[in-house]
Amino acid sequence: MPGGKRTRSEGWRKVRALRLEDIRHWWMRRLPVLEWVPAYDWKENLVPDAVSGMMLAVQQVTQGLAFAVLSSVHPVFGLYGSFFPVIIYAIFGMGRHVATGTFALTSLISANAVERLVPSAGTNFTANNNSGVLGLSEFEMQRIGVAAAVSFLGGIIQVAMFMLQLGSATFLLTEPVISAMTTGAATHVVTSQVKYLLGMKMPYISGPLGFFHIYAYIFENIRSVQLEALLLSLLSIVVLVLVKELNEKFQRNIKIVLPIDLVLIIATSAACYYADMEYAYGLEVVGHIPEGLPPPKVPPMNVLSEVVTEAFGVALVGYVASLALAQGSAKKFKYTVDDNQEFLAHGLSNVIPSFFFCIPSAAAMGRTSLLYSTDARTQVACLISSALILVVIYTIGPMLYWLPMCVLASIIIVGLKGMLMQFRDLKKYWNVDKIDWSIWVSTYVFTICFAANVGLLYGVVSTIVTVIFRFSRARTLNLKNMKEVEYKYKTEDNCKSLKQVKIVSVNNPLVFLNARKFQADLTKIIQKDSTSSQTCEDVNKCEQNTLLCSFSNGSCHGESLQPSQSERRVLILDCSGLSLFDYTGASTLLQCSYVCFITASLIKAMQYGGNLESENPVFFESVSSAIDAIQIHRVRLTFRALSKRH
């Protein structure tokens, strides 16, 4: 008894230790911050991370203000969206160079819900209304409530996808689909900012073919273009593009690039203030920016059912764009990213900040490229940027009152340069694969005509259809080089026998999609090997009669052979490369009366299916054992034929 108790206590101790180890491993996987923070090299990484964090903070502030306007909410909510999601992703995310925050595509999608549920009534951001929370009007609080609801529900969808382990399904999101969708969405963003570039007052236009209706409205009202806004927009775009090109060209020679976005904001705000452009020229400005962080508040749950479409768009488009950047940085700097964990990280980065009046968030290409160029090492750079944004929220924010909206629009458009330059990928896809080129073009057209989520859905569906179409027509069989086999069997008798043996390797998966193609390819090989005078009926007879009859452990069950021994042809199916099969594929193999070299998993599947007892197929563990059996069988046939003659 004491020995039995000791054994049970030791076993329980091992089980408990195993469980504690599993729990620890689970927490490490779900909270990557617990892994990289203890291993952080303060001497080696702090300085480059600090420099990158300062540069990133400048870009976060400008993009936060701009993308909030794009989302049809007050600009201050973009600052909140550049602060809270960054902290959440640094805790749960695995991308070391992924800078999450406000994002043009998700802002554009959430704007559809905001404009639909709280339509604009001529209210602009210059109104300094002290009613409601943060000194903002009730109208503006209703709008951010809808945007926060989209962020909340979109994050819930992403967390649900994490729980369902749907991260493995991202293989359907091919590079042409992602490139076309993001390029099309960037084109939508540029279109939405044209009214600010031109200084025009125009209603919000969305829905199918809304892209074309916007330009139709602009051409119909071209006389209402504000010349001052147009000139300031052109000047801003030229300065931004020129300085950023110079920064890229000389980034190896200079450690700190010129923060042209910040310089432009300060310069234009000062010019607008001293020249009184808001009243003298009618330029639209950002207006009142409240100080401090808002108290948490639950997003309005009564509108969740009305923003389901936008929430799915935010969840999918935001995740796809962010995952592409995370995988790119992981490949560039040689570390791994868990696709499923990214669902959780971005989901929580949308759910938790939605309680603090944040618009939907995701990673952006411009911010990630900035981290590359400034030699950032870890997420510490993003945390430093969020600390600096907090300083802006409490101290510098109110000074942005005089920032012209046309300058913000210019910053948005130039910031999308990387996405718009993906048009150059068309040449690459055309040279490599015309079908990928057509998928890119059609996905872009669907995105332009409808929306980013519709274009993404179309791209995934077209990819699946293309794969099915190609897979069902791909080559399933390959004839092996007999010189390799002859080298192993050097005897004269074997060489003569091997001349009458065909070895066909099955190197592709054999499933219901290509089972018929497999049979057709096998028939072609038989027909090609048959004599020219043989008809199709003779070929079918050859499949059943003239090929090697069934073996069991090397013994022959059939003795009557019509063709002479010298005319017999043997076909061996080498299934060692068969990595995937289903019931239809296994059944197709069982219909063949050929010698088969198959894997253990296929034998097991046939045993479970109850089909291994079929009379036709012959199974061997290797090609060499099949050839040895052929030799034994032919020797026996020759001996029996000689015995009958005597």
Side-chain angles (χ1 to χ4, degrees), residues 69 73-75 122-130 135-137 139-140 196 201 272 277-279 282-289 400-405:
V69 174
V73 298
H74 194 280
T123 304
N124 57 42
F125 299 122
T126 61
N128 189 2
N129 193 334
N130 291 325
L136 300 176
S137 66
F139 170 77
E140 288 164 346
Y196 296 114
K201 303 291 184 182
C272 186
M277 293 184 180
E278 180 184 7
Y279 300 105
L283 278 183
E284 187 177 358
V285 297
V286 169
H288 170 63
I289 301 290
L400 300 173
Y401 180 97
W402 299 99
L403 177 61
M405 293 296 296

Side-chain angles (χ1 to χ4, degrees), residues 201-223:
K201 303 291 184 182
M202 61 180 296
Y204 182 80
I205 301 175
S206 63
L209 304 180
F211 173 85
F212 304 100
H213 293 315
I214 290 174
Y215 286 105
Y217 182 91
I218 291 173
F219 284 115
E220 289 175 0
N221 300 271
I222 195 68
R223 294 185 178 181

Side-chain angles (χ1 to χ4, degrees), residues 43 104 188 205 225 325 404 415 422 535 547 563:
K43 293 182 179 180
H188 271 297
I205 301 175
V225 172
L325 294 174
Q422 290 179 136
T535 62
L547 293 173

Side-chain angles (χ1 to χ4, degrees), residues 541-605:
K541 291 179 181 179
C542 177
E543 293 185 26
Q544 300 298 328
N545 299 324
T546 65
L547 293 173
L548 185 64
C549 59
S550 300
F551 281 99
S552 178
N553 297 325
S555 63
C556 180
H557 294 287
E559 298 183 8
S560 60
L561 296 172
Q562 295 178 2
S564 64
Q565 182 69 21
S566 61
E567 295 176 352
R568 288 184 53 77
R569 311 289 290 177
V570 179
L571 184 64
I572 298 177
L573 290 181
D574 180 1
C575 300
S576 58
L578 185 60
S579 58
L580 176 66
F581 58 89
D582 60 2
Y583 184 83
T584 304
S587 299
T588 303
L589 283 176
L590 288 168
Q591 294 173 8
C592 304
S593 58
Y594 314 129
V595 178
C596 294
F597 160 43
I598 64 178
T599 57
S601 60
L602 184 55
I603 294 177
K604 197 171 186 180

